[in-house]
Each structure stands twice: as C-alpha cells, then as structure tokens.
Amino acid sequence: MHMISEPIADPVFDPITYKGCVYPWQCDQVGHMNIMWYVGKFDEANWNHMARVGLTPSYLRTEERGMAAVQQNITYKRELLAGEIVEIRSRFLEVRDKALRFVHEMRNAETGEVAAICEITAVHIDRCARKAVALPAAVRDAAAAAVAPAAT
C-alpha cells in the first residue's frame, strides 16, 4: 500500500474533520505530543469523516453496523508541542463494496506545517454476525463522489 506523502489540503474534497490543541498532559518525556494522542485525534477525525457520507452514529446504532480499521499507517513529519493548535483534513482514496480507504493529514494550524499523515482501510461490519458486509449504496456513492480527482 502506498503512503500518501504530499499535502492533501483541498477544501473542496478535504473538509476539516478535527480541530483541537495539544495539552501539556498529552506530551511525553521528550516534550512533544505522544503517539497515543496522534492516534486519538485521527480516530476523532474518522468519525466526522465517515459521518459526512452517511456512516453516522445513529445509522451505526440502528442498523447494528460498525466500521473496523484493518490497516493503519502513520507517517510522522514534525513534532507538535503543548499549546499548538491542530487541524486534520480528510479524503477518501478508494471505495470498495465493503471497505473504505482514506487519509488524514494533521497540520499545525498556525504554521500550516504537516505534522503527520495517517492512511486507514476500514471495513463495514455487521456487529451481530461479526463479519464484513456491503456498504449501503448511498454511502458508497457519497464516498466515491468525495474522492478527489488527483487521488484516483
């Protein structure tokens, strides 16, 4: 799988899916945000990103569905320090019958520098049967429409 390394910030295709800041208690003994917090912020971006194509909390609850990450690759570019403001933009890269592949780009919102890039493959699951199932057609169509031409 190819990791995206070039900036993805295109507001038409890459909406902001997370905004926050780095708190001192999120930093490790080296003085920068610990990797567990990068993962946590990317996770929060996941839910905003998926909701925009119909994978909302109410859909997941009422239909007893879920999304399971089956692969996640993170590239760390620059450290983030306590007090810095963080922004994540997200883009769909690939839409399959039962899975979505997407990328998040985390930036220092003040400087614009890319801090980290996370590429995820997530599978749509039936939570009762505990197996992958097809995404609803409306979700597949919405995600496919959100794939930027440069990313295809």
Side-chain angles (χ1 to χ4, degrees):
M1 185 171 283
H2 171 44
M3 176 58 82
I4 302 299
S5 59
E6 64 276 356
I8 65 166
D10 176 346
V12 173
F13 292 102
D14 309 323
I16 295 171
T17 52
Y18 175 86
K19 280 186 148 190
C21 67
V22 178
Y23 290 99
W25 49 268
Q26 294 175 324
C27 296
D28 58 22
Q29 65 273 29
V30 180
H32 57 238
M33 187 169 70
N34 185 272
I35 60 173
M36 71 183 283
W37 298 105
Y38 283 84
V39 172
K41 291 174 190 303
F42 283 133
D43 182 62
E44 289 186 54
N46 285 344
W47 298 109
N48 288 294
H49 187 51
M50 289 186 284
R52 69 184 267 254
V53 296
L55 295 170
T56 62
S58 58
Y59 162 78
L60 296 170
R61 275 192 301 273
T62 60
E63 299 300 317
E64 296 187 349
R65 297 295 188 247
M67 293 299 292
V70 295
Q71 183 166 357
Q72 180 169 318
N73 298 308
I74 301 175
T75 301
Y76 299 96
K77 299 283 198 177
R78 296 208 179 274
E79 65 184 354
L80 290 167
L81 306 174
E84 293 185 324
I85 301 166
V86 177
E87 182 177 282
I88 298 174
R89 289 185 181 268
S90 306
R91 165 185 291 174
F92 288 100
L93 298 173
E94 182 182 5
V95 179
R96 296 189 297 235
D97 186 49
K98 299 177 184 179
L100 299 170
R101 189 168 61 89
F102 49 94
V103 64
H104 300 300
E105 181 182 79
M106 180 184 292
R107 288 181 179 261
N108 177 317
E110 181 180 3
T111 66
E113 293 178 314
V114 176
I117 298 168
C118 179
E119 187 175 313
I120 297 173
T121 300
V123 176
H124 185 241
I125 61 167
D126 177 318
R127 291 190 344 239
C128 296
R130 308 305 278 184
K131 68 176 193 170
V133 294
L135 287 156
V139 169
R140 282 194 315 272
D141 292 346
V147 174
T152 57

